[in-house]
DNA sequence: GAATTCTGTCACGAGAATGTCACTTTAGGA
DNA sequence: TCCTAAAGTGACATTCTCGTGACAGAATTC
């Protein structure tokens, strides 16, 4: 029968832009949701959990950056890929957008074909960090489930706090490679968290405690950072 | 197996519009009920519990928004999918409609084919939130019956208010996964309900009270939201 | 209309999560 | 072996978060 179509949410205050995107995205096989302002977009995003969100940076009242930040803040919407539309290719805007977590950029005026291509590219990335379907990542005996925010080891639930969960999640997702304290700070705590790097140490310690014997899997790489190993020793 | 024809209620004060929809919906295999004004529509809806309601936004005396609000308010009719007909594509109207819980929109003048497609789409969504056939969902010992708006635990009826029922219903339907306060607000209270997120806490508290010992099943996930567990502890 | 129930908000307090610091221990080069 | 910088550890202050009871307005019921 019919393949399930991926849903794309377009948030832009200009009807013309919405129409242009709507027709092109539909032609490309997407289901299109629309919102005319930031607040509405946010509400629909939370409610519908689209596969991709196209977000205009410049909107009255609630800017794209604000919407983006709000989306990134909480779980169900925090991993939805976001494509930003910017009026001008101002480098500042780009930076501002990336800082709050946009995944890609298109500057107005854009060619519809280009947008469709980028949406596809960004949507394809999804399997890595799926939203609707809970993702199970594994590192040795550790399993993570973002939807439930539970981590298990050997089938046993760990009572992690949200920070600990995000920390372990990042380490799991990048098993085997060293993560510097700076990287961990910016990825786990957020872009503008101005924290002491030693804070990471404390959380690693608490995490190790809760991991019990498996705490040894979190290896300290002197002078560089931390790394999660699959095998002990 | 003979498929039962689904009934669609058309509420519109213009006879022409009713006729147009009637013929097209019948041709598409639906049984059509009709009402010429809001009050009559409301009465028929309650009595007949159609699968879908098509509602004209602009009607003398009782507007579509009022009818919608009234329908949404109480159980047997509260989950019937509603398709709104709007005279103009005014953004304000759209928002007003979504706020009271319409499921989809068609702007006049419309193509009958489009309306039929949307009715099908909206009706198809039903299994998720069945109306005519009572759905029994279970989480541990809890059973929910939407048609009667009763929840039982261990065979014992709970005297839940409608808000409490919808809250529990959502948690039951998504057992095990965390629901943020924002999600709960938008799904239980409706689209743009502009409420304090702490309101959720209060209702969770009241729900837990009525659940008695099973109240423990409603777990608080600090910093994230609430989650219904199947097993205690 | 009066009484009752339902709802949303608030303020308070307990407890949890978090970030920082001072102190101790360890790794690894000289 | 010794020395120093880096990392581990425990304690603490602060900030958040959530549970709770009270209350006022709205909606329902009688």
């Amino acid at each position: 029968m019919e393949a399930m179509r991926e849903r794309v949410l377009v948030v832009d205050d200009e009807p013309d832009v919405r129409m242009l995107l709507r027709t092109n995205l539909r032609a490309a096989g997407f289901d299109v949701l629309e919102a005319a302002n930031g607040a509405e977009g946010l509400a629909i995003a939370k409610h519908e959990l689209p596969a991709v969100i196209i977000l205009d940076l410049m909107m009255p009242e609630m800017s794209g950056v604000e919407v983006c930040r709000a989306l990134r803040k909480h779980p169900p919407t925090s991993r939805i890929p976001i494509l930003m539309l910017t009026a001008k290719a101002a480098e500042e805007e780009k930076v501002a957008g990336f800082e709050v977590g946009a995944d890609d950029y298109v500057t107005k005026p854009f060619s519809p074909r280009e947008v469709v291509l980028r949406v596809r590219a960004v949507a394809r990335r999804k399997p890595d960090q799926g939203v609707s379907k809970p993702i199970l990542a594994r590192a040795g005996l550790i399993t993570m489930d973002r939807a439930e925010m539970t981590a298990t080891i050997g089938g046993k639930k760990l009572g992690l706090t949200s920070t600990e969960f995000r920390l372990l999640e990042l380490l799991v997702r990048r098993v085997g490679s060293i993560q510097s304290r700076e990287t961990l700070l910016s990825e786990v705590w957020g872009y503008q968290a101005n924290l002491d790097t030693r804070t990471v140490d404390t959380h690693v310690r608490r995490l190790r405690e809760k991991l019990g014997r498996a705490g040894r899997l979190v290896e300290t790489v002197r002078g560089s950072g931390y790394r999660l190993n699959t095998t002990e020793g």
Side-chain angles (χ1 to χ4, degrees), chain A residues 181 185 188-190 192-200 203:
Chain A
R181 288 175 176 72
L185 269 184
V188 174
W189 277 261
Q192 49 196 20
N194 215 22
L195 304 178
D196 191 319
T197 55
R198 295 300 310 280
T199 296
V200 176
H203 282 271

Side-chain angles (χ1 to χ4, degrees), chain A residues 38-175:
Chain A
E40 190 187 340
L42 198 53
I44 294 180
K46 285 178 182 171
H47 195 255
E48 299 289 340
L49 295 179
V52 180
I53 298 175
I54 300 180
L55 197 52
D56 188 13
L57 188 66
M58 297 288 286
M59 286 185 296
E61 297 180 39
M62 192 176 192
S63 82
V65 171
E66 289 175 83
V67 176
C68 198
R69 205 191 314 263
L71 286 170
R72 288 291 185 247
K73 201 155 189 176
H74 291 294
T77 60
S78 63
R79 294 292 172 163
I80 300 176
I82 292 175
L83 191 64
M84 276 277 200
L85 298 179
T86 67
K88 36 182 180 168
E91 211 53 33
E92 295 174 8
E93 282 190 1
K94 253 188 187 170
V95 172
F98 271 123
E99 272 183 2
V100 292
D103 295 84
D104 201 351
Y105 270 82
V106 179
T107 57
K108 291 180 184 180
F110 53 79
S111 98
R113 195 184 313 169
E114 187 192 0
V115 173
V116 170
L117 287 177
R118 301 230 192 173
V119 168
R120 281 214 185 104
V122 150
R124 207 177 316 123
R125 237 185 271 155
K126 210 189 58 177
D128 176 46
Q129 24 180 253
V131 184
S132 44
K133 295 176 187 170
I135 274 194
L136 299 176
R138 294 183 315 176
L141 300 169
I142 304 172
T143 63
M144 312 281 301
D145 185 323
R146 180 181 287 123
E148 305 194 7
M149 208 182 92
T150 54
T152 68
I153 179 157
K156 208 176 167 187
K157 266 193 195 173
L158 301 172
L160 302 183
T161 69
S162 61
T163 305
E164 287 158 2
F165 182 87
R166 291 199 303 277
L167 174 59
L168 180 56
E169 187 188 22
L170 193 75
L171 291 173
V172 165
R173 198 161 3 141
R174 305 190 184 164
V175 198

